[in-house]
Amino acid sequence: MRQILLCGWLAFGAMGCGGGGGPGIVTLEALLASFDFAVVRADLPLTRVVALENPLTEEATAELVEPADNVLLVPTELPQTVEAGAEIDLTTVLEPRAPGVVTGRFIVRFTGATMIQDVEVTLTADAEQPQLTVANAAITFGVVNVGESDAQALRVTNASTVTPVELTTLSALPTGFTLTPALPQTLLPGQTTAFSITYEPAFGSATLDTTFTIGHSASAVPLTLTLHADAAIYEEIQIFEFGDVDIDGLETGFLEIDVDADAVSITIEANGPEGVAMGLAEFTGPGTTVFENEALTGPLVWNPLRDVFVVTAPSSDDDDVQLAPGGGTYRFRLSIASGVPPDTIEVRAIVVRRPNAEPVSGILDLNVYVADSLGLTAEEAATDTRLQEILGEADRILEQRNLRLGDITYYRLTDAAWDDVEDDDEFRDMLASSDVAPDVRLNLFFVSTAFGGGTLGVAASAPGSAQNGTPASGVMVDFDFGSTTTAGYVTAHEIGHYLGLLHTVEQNGRHDFISDTLECPADETDEVCTSLGGNYMMHWRILGIDTPVISLEQAKLMLVHPLVRLGDMSQLSSRPAGTGTLPSARALEALGANWCGCPSHASKKSR
């Protein structure tokens, strides 16, 4: 920008005053010239062209006669000859060193044939302090459900007149928060940028009150903003209680539940009197979804059970037994399969939800019961080496598919009848004693011997009920058989049953209903299974391998059981692994099929 000196010269001094200019040359009184450049940037040198008029009435030579103060001149522009009354253009560079008023000064002398005139030039500018303003420095989120997100606007304005400001760095935001667009960002003078802070809470998120900062070029002090979010919630389990439902003949009427799009499983539970076996009469979903039809030829796998009936959809990875995408209304009827029909049965449905309908990991909490004969109090059980190694080994096996054992509460069984569980009646009575536990978890009972010693583990049903205090509420494991590695293997196997898995193959050669488990022979190898039983954890008997295999589709079924919860697995403590060797499959031949007194394929469906 060219600045021109107009009128405003001081009056010439008297002719002949001052002297010093040589014979016949008169030195005139100095003139003052000032240039105000108004508001400028404090972070850059300011270059301006100023025009000085030759104040003499004769041709003169213009030269710099005094070193410039805080201003630079282009040295090639002076000296130069200037006609009377003509202008010269001088390129000046004013260099602010800090915000505030900055001043520069220099003197140009015009020397003519008869006169000398000094012009003292003053340059001034206001070097601005850049300013940022924030429209909403306090950013507040309410409750945001896990699996959902919310966004709040953050508006930052560069209130400077001439100085652009760069937003440079963002301090670490808490987990679940992101800022878009990303930094760095440059704001021109007067420009406002709207940022978006998005909150996608993780499981276990707590109420949050914190600050974060944005670094910028306007100051060494960053912008400080506050952030508040309420504890995230996610209703991962929905329980539909129907209470006592009338039996008309041998069946109930239709019961309905509305299911969200993020549902991953529906479990139906019915409690009836002892001696009455219950089952499905019909089970349908949105559109053309049919899990069970009136002729009982539908694709869903289930077993008629006495006292406590449990069925879960999906029961395998078959497409025909998956929940309908997008949610909707499901309807079902129950029937009495055998026994004297009661007037009513107690019914409920449990819907498991997962964000985006993707079960990818889970935590299984336990109520652990120790028989009186084991000599452990509840407090001692929590630190007993053998028990903790058994649980640690089970945890290690399940962890390969992102299923971990979580919180564990210990109880002592004081009834001596449950030291050595001899028959099904004692087993059912023992399971019913789980009503002492206030928290509904998988109930795991450790006894001295089970069913005469020929059984290492038993699961009440597959899948098992999400209730305490029923004759089908849990699994039982022989505490004393073999090494802790063996007992941990058995524990993991029985947990697999309770979470919905059948044997990959039974002793009679019948296979499970899961597509990604190899169809191995019951007791030998072949071209499909080059290792005995395919090394599966859910083979009908223990295989002598360190880490028995859980297939991906088996894991998906376990992860959608109502007792498996969401949680931050990174916060779980490590558990001791089992010690000792595993018996080979051949070494267990004496036990035969009885080593696992668990549910078999005696379902209404077979393949």
Side-chain angles (χ1 to χ4, degrees):
M1 179 181 293
R2 186 169 181 263
Q3 303 288 337
I4 301 176
L5 177 63
L6 300 174
C7 298
W9 300 99
L10 295 179
F12 290 166
M15 295 289 289
C17 294
I25 298 179
V26 178
T27 300
L28 303 177
E29 184 177 353
L31 298 177
L32 300 178
S34 62
F35 297 89
D36 184 3
F37 296 141
V39 179
V40 300
R41 292 176 60 168
D43 58 339
L44 290 177
L46 174 68
T47 301
R48 292 286 189 273
V49 176
V50 298
L52 291 184
E53 182 181 332
N54 178 2
L56 302 179
T57 57
E58 59 187 13
E59 181 182 85
T61 299
E63 61 183 330
L64 183 67
V65 296
E66 188 172 315
D69 179 21
N70 200 32
V71 64
L72 299 176
L73 296 174
V74 177
T76 59
E77 295 180 347
L78 292 175
Q80 62 174 287
T81 300
V82 189
E83 296 291 334
E87 295 178 350
I88 60 172
D89 290 334
L90 299 180
T91 303
T92 62
V93 181
L94 191 63
E95 190 168 10
R97 292 178 173 83
V101 175
V102 58
T103 302
R105 175 182 173 276
F106 62 92
I107 297 176
V108 176
R109 175 168 292 168
F110 291 86
T111 303
T114 62
M115 294 178 287
I116 295 175
Q117 179 77 67
D118 285 348
V119 179
E120 183 177 336
V121 180
T122 302
L123 310 177
T124 59
D126 182 7
E128 76 172 344
Q129 172 66 58
Q131 297 290 328
L132 287 177
T133 60
V134 181
N136 48 335
I139 300 163
T140 300
F141 293 86
V143 175
V144 182
N145 291 335
V146 174
E148 299 176 359
S149 65
D150 189 20
Q152 298 291 331
L154 170 63
R155 299 178 65 85
V156 181
T157 299
N158 179 5
S160 310
T161 303
V162 295
T163 309
V165 175
E166 185 176 20
L167 305 180
T168 54
T169 57
L170 175 69
S171 64
L173 288 172
T175 300
F177 292 88
T178 56
L179 176 75
T180 54
L183 299 183
Q185 295 285 328
T186 298
L187 298 184
L188 298 177
Q191 180 183 358
T192 297
T193 292
F195 293 92
S196 178
I197 295 185
T198 302
Y199 179 33
E200 296 185 62
F203 299 109
S205 297
T207 296
L208 177 74
D209 284 292
T210 188
T211 61
F212 68 97
T213 60
I214 297 177
H216 55 87
S217 61
S219 168
V221 179
L223 293 175
T224 299
L225 305 105
T226 63
L227 188 61
H228 172 84
D230 292 329
I233 60 172
Y234 187 76
E235 192 177 7
E236 59 182 279
I237 297 291
Q238 294 177 305
I239 300 178
F240 298 84
E241 298 280 3
F242 296 101
D244 292 329
V245 177
D246 292 336
I247 299 294
D248 183 7
L250 295 176
E251 297 177 350
T252 68
F254 271 111
L255 304 173
E256 291 187 354
I257 56 174
D258 290 324
V259 173
D260 293 323
D262 59 358
V264 292
S265 71
I266 300 172
T267 296
I268 299 169
E269 296 185 347
N271 295 343
E274 184 176 357
V276 171
M278 295 163 287
L280 277 178
E282 196 171 352
F283 187 9
T284 62
T288 59
T289 303
V290 177
F291 295 136
E292 186 57 276
N293 55 41
E294 293 181 282
L296 303 187
T297 57
L300 193 67
V301 178
W302 55 273
N303 290 305
L305 296 174
R306 61 173 179 159
D307 299 359
V308 182
F309 170 68
V310 184
V311 62
T312 295
S315 58
S316 73
D317 62 331
D318 281 357
D319 291 340
D320 290 342
V321 295
Q322 307 306 306
L323 301 190
T329 300
Y330 289 78
R331 307 172 72 232
F332 63 91
R333 297 185 295 127
L334 299 176
S335 65
I336 303 303
S338 64
V340 178
D343 294 331
T344 63
I345 56 174
E346 184 181 1
V347 182
R348 68 176 184 161
I350 306 172
V351 175
V352 177
R353 300 170 62 201
R354 294 291 183 265
N356 303 315
E358 287 291 332
V360 294
S361 64
I363 296 173
L364 179 67
D365 299 324
L366 300 177
N367 294 320
V368 170
Y369 306 80
V370 291
D372 185 64
S373 59
L374 302 183
L376 298 173
T377 64
E379 292 75 17
E380 292 169 340
T383 58
D384 179 72
T385 299
R386 179 175 176 84
L387 179 54
Q388 294 309 310
E389 287 183 359
I390 291 172
L391 295 173
E393 183 67 12
D395 186 44
R396 184 186 70 84
I397 293 171
L398 297 172
E399 187 180 8
Q400 66 180 295
R401 288 300 185 184
N402 293 323
L403 177 62
R404 292 289 311 274
L405 300 185
D407 295 331
I408 300 178
T409 303
Y410 297 88
Y411 300 89
R412 184 176 185 175
L413 298 173
T414 56
D415 192 324
W418 302 330
D419 294 341
D420 302 305
V421 177
E422 296 181 356
D423 54 34
D424 188 55
D425 287 338
E426 285 189 0
F427 176 55
R428 289 159 52 81
D429 289 344
M430 182 182 69
L431 297 182
S433 73
S434 61
D435 60 0
V436 301
D439 296 320
V440 177
R441 301 171 170 179
L442 192 148
N443 297 296
L444 173 57
F445 294 80
F446 286 103
V447 299
S448 294
T449 58
F451 296 165
T455 299
L456 305 184
V458 186
S461 63
S465 171
Q467 302 177 77
N468 290 344
T470 79
S473 296
V475 303
M476 172 175 63
V477 173
D478 187 322
F479 184 76
D480 294 319
F481 184 90
S483 67
T484 56
T485 300
T486 301
Y489 190 135
V490 173
T491 300
H493 178 102
E494 300 307 330
I495 287 174
H497 278 310
Y498 205 81
L499 298 184
L501 301 183
L502 300 175
H503 287 148
T504 51
V505 62
E506 295 285 5
Q507 190 178 22
N508 62 10
R510 182 173 291 175
H511 297 96
D512 65 10
F513 307 109
I514 297 177
S515 64
D516 71 344
T517 56
L518 300 175
E519 296 203 351
C520 299
D523 205 22
E524 57 189 39
T525 61
D526 61 10
E527 65 278 3
V528 174
C529 293
T530 56
S531 59
L532 186 61
N535 290 341
Y536 290 118
M537 178 185 79
M538 298 309 297
H539 189 63
W540 68 271
R541 65 180 179 184
I542 295 175
L543 302 174
I545 55 172
D546 290 335
T547 305
V549 173
I550 303 171
S551 79
L552 176 61
E553 297 300 333
Q554 285 180 313
K556 288 181 180 179
L557 283 188
M558 290 194 294
L559 291 172
V560 301
H561 189 280
L563 292 179
V564 175
R565 66 176 172 87
L566 297 165
D568 186 355
M569 297 180 68
S570 67
Q571 301 301 312
L572 297 177
S573 59
S574 59
R575 301 184 185 275
T579 57
T581 59
L582 280 165
S584 68
R586 300 302 178 192
L588 292 171
E589 286 185 349
L591 293 175
N594 292 329
W595 84 266
C596 172
C598 42
S600 68
H601 296 69
S603 69
K604 66 97 195 177
K605 293 292 293 180
S606 62
R607 292 183 178 175

